[in-house]
Amino acid sequence: MKVLEVKNVKKKLGKKEIIKGISFSVEEGEIFGFLGPNGAGKTTTIRMLVGLIAPNEGTIQILGHDIQKDREKALANLGAVVENPELYGYLSGRENLMQIARIRKVPKEEVEEIIKLIGLENRIGDKVKKYSLGMKQRLGLGAALLGNPKLMILDEPTNGLDPSGILDFREIVKNAAKERGMSVFVSSHILSEVQHLCDRVAFINGGEIKSVEMVNEDGVATQKDTMVIVTTDDDKAVEVMKELEAIHSVNIYDGEVVVSIDKGNSPKLVQELVAKNIEIIEIYRKHKGLEQRYMELVEGGVR
């Protein structure tokens, strides 16, 4: 089920077109990354997703409700942590959550569940002005989770956090998505954070989405494998490989043959080389990291 669906959305600020017809969707329970450099259009997109500004063209739907035509129902399913959470420093963490819970008619039992989920049981009675940045980010996430939204929007959620805070925040988001079946949309320019957190990622630059791709712990899950091969006769190996249909490119770098091949065809490649009496000294798959893919799509090539 599509929890968020964005179709051909465009946005002008003054005469300048900031968002140039973007389309994507987020599935139920999915953690979806929105990755791009500063000025790419990430913040403008998020402001449209949470209803702060309206698109000039296109539609945004949350659980099938158009955010322009059926705003109340669409936003009822939405939680968001945009930049620094707005919290009352003179109140305790629990009092902050209870204020929001009363407005949203959320029972106290759910507030206590949220406190456990965000790991603030030992400090929830302290005034928020005594909280570290990481604790404030956790509390802001807890506030957004009240009411059990089906979609969570996070804008640069780990900005300013130390490595320990980033790890904690990441686990909280993953657990919330898993336990509550919640979809998460994460906007960031931090490549490692997106790679460790997200299931899919959209690469945006210049107001356009360049690609939407699957992500795993090794990098981008593409339809091609990059294989590195060392043989006793690299020149002959290259000639053989260029004749194979599954091969997209073959190059020699620093005494190694680097091959782009359709996923699942590596065994056939080995069989062909052996059949041509080419001795293979070493062969391994080179994982395509998110950084490399980012440079290809956003920066126009690998540096």
Side-chain angles (χ1 to χ4, degrees):
M1 180 179 69
K2 288 181 174 60
V3 173
L4 172 66
E5 189 165 18
V6 176
K7 288 184 180 178
N8 197 33
V9 164
K10 298 180 182 180
K11 181 63 182 177
K12 285 183 178 179
L13 295 178
K15 292 184 179 180
K16 187 176 181 182
E17 191 172 38
I18 305 297
I19 303 298
K20 303 171 182 177
I22 64 171
S23 298
F24 61 87
S25 61
V26 180
E27 300 293 327
E28 185 176 13
E30 179 180 38
I31 302 179
F32 186 92
F34 202 53
L35 185 59
N38 293 330
K42 300 193 303 295
T43 299
T44 301
T45 300
I46 281 183
R47 292 180 73 197
M48 289 190 286
L49 295 183
V50 300
L52 291 176
I53 58 175
N56 296 112
E57 292 183 36
T59 60
I60 298 169
Q61 292 187 340
I62 299 173
L63 285 176
H65 301 294
D66 190 299
I67 202 166
Q68 295 300 115
K69 298 175 182 175
D70 201 358
R71 180 185 177 86
E72 192 172 328
K73 284 186 179 178
L75 296 183
N77 295 295
L78 177 69
V81 180
V82 180
E83 296 178 351
N84 294 324
E86 292 292 327
L87 302 165
Y88 297 107
Y90 60 90
L91 296 179
S92 70
R94 177 177 273 106
E95 287 167 340
N96 268 274
L97 292 180
M98 289 305 298
Q99 291 270 20
I100 298 164
R102 278 192 286 271
I103 294 168
R104 297 185 185 171
K105 297 180 173 58
V106 173
K108 187 177 179 181
E109 293 76 19
E110 184 178 330
V111 176
E112 296 303 319
E113 287 177 17
I114 294 289
I115 292 168
K116 288 180 183 176
L117 180 65
I118 60 177
L120 282 179
E121 300 102 306
N122 296 330
R123 297 291 303 276
I124 199 67
D126 294 354
K127 285 185 166 51
V128 168
K129 63 184 177 183
K130 295 180 180 178
Y131 280 14
S132 66
L133 178 59
M135 291 167 66
K136 288 177 181 174
Q137 288 287 72
R138 290 194 204 187
L139 188 63
L141 180 60
L145 285 167
L146 288 171
N148 200 21
K150 293 300 292 180
L151 175 65
M152 178 68 66
I153 307 277
L154 303 175
D155 185 17
E156 303 287 0
T158 58
N159 263 5
L161 297 186
D162 60 23
S164 177
I166 290 172
L167 288 171
D168 290 344
F169 195 87
R170 184 193 302 159
E171 286 308 305
I172 291 168
V173 172
K174 282 184 173 180
N175 289 338
K178 184 178 179 181
E179 292 174 12
R180 293 169 168 248
M182 182 180 70
S183 303
V184 184
F185 177 96
V186 185
S187 170
S188 183
H189 65 278
I190 302 173
L191 297 169
S192 60
E193 191 55 32
V194 170
Q195 183 163 325
H196 290 303
L197 183 62
C198 299
D199 303 305
R200 282 193 304 149
V201 59
F203 297 87
I204 184 171
N205 195 27
E208 298 178 308
I209 289 181
K210 303 298 182 181
S211 182
V212 178
E213 301 187 6
M214 300 294 293
V215 181
N216 56 38
E217 287 291 324
D218 298 312
V220 178
T222 65
Q223 296 303 307
K224 301 171 190 172
D225 284 332
T226 300
M227 306 298 299
V228 179
I229 307 170
V230 180
T231 74
T232 53
D233 191 342
D234 288 345
D235 291 332
K236 185 178 178 183
V238 168
E239 287 179 21
V240 170
M241 285 186 271
K242 283 183 175 177
E243 299 299 317
L244 301 178
E245 285 186 13
I247 300 288
H248 293 270
S249 66
V250 186
N251 293 286
I252 298 177
Y253 299 110
D254 299 325
E256 297 178 331
V257 181
V258 181
V259 187
S260 176
I261 185 171
D262 286 336
K263 190 173 286 293
N265 280 270
S266 302
K268 292 179 183 177
L269 169 62
V270 173
Q271 288 171 4
E272 193 66 28
L273 291 174
V274 170
K276 294 291 170 51
N277 296 315
I278 297 169
E279 186 179 344
I280 299 171
I281 299 170
E282 184 179 9
I283 181 168
Y284 61 90
R285 180 183 290 110
K286 185 177 182 181
H287 292 292
K288 195 161 204 171
L290 192 63
E291 182 175 346
Q292 182 182 355
R293 190 64 176 138
Y294 177 87
M295 297 305 295
E296 288 175 1
L297 292 167
V298 174
E299 301 290 344
V302 179
R303 287 180 183 168

